[in-house]
Amino acid sequence: MHFVCLSCRTAWKKTPTGPGPGHCPQCRGELIDAGADLAVPKRRDVAGWRALEAVLRAGLTFHGGCCGTGPGFRPRTPREVRERLALAGRTGMPVRRALAVADPTAIS
C-alpha cells in the first residue's frame, strides 16, 4: 500500500499495521492510505500533487477492485480536477463521484 503525506509530498510503500495509517516520519503529520494502485507524482511535480490532494481529500483512493480491475479513473492534473468540479457544479453530482468520471463532456 502507498501511504502519502501531502504536506511533505512524499509516499511510502508499507504494509498496514494497526488501526490507522500512521504518521509521517518527516513532519509527524497523519499519513493517508492511498492504495496500492497509486502512481506517485515526482516531488517537484507541484501540479500533480495538487491533483492528487484534491482526489484524496474528496475521499477517493487508489485501491484496486476485485480481479485486478483497478481503482477506475482518477484525475492526474489540476485541469482535469477543474473540469470535474465544473461537472459537479453544473449537474449537482457529488464531488467524489464527479472526480471519478472519465469523460466529463459526455455527461450533460
Side-chain angles (χ1 to χ4, degrees):
M1 295 294 163
H2 284 95
F3 289 85
V4 176
C5 177
L6 295 171
S7 59
C8 294
R9 293 198 313 240
T10 55
W12 291 270
K13 287 183 183 179
K14 66 179 198 169
T15 304
T17 57
H23 297 281
C24 174
Q26 295 177 6
C27 72
R28 301 301 302 155
E30 183 134 354
L31 293 175
I32 298 171
D33 179 0
D37 295 331
L38 171 65
V40 180
K42 294 186 184 295
R43 187 178 293 202
R44 65 182 175 270
D45 181 5
V46 176
W49 278 95
R50 280 196 337 247
L52 177 60
E53 181 173 5
V55 168
L56 293 175
R57 297 265 187 236
L60 292 172
T61 62
F62 295 83
H63 292 279
C66 72
C67 307
T69 57
F73 176 82
R74 301 292 186 261
R76 296 183 70 132
T77 65
R79 178 179 173 223
E80 290 176 340
V81 170
R82 283 191 305 273
E83 290 170 349
R84 280 137 189 93
L85 291 177
L87 171 68
R90 188 173 69 244
T91 63
M93 181 184 296
V95 171
R96 181 178 177 164
R97 189 166 149 228
L99 285 173
V101 171
D103 184 6
T105 60
I107 298 174
S108 53

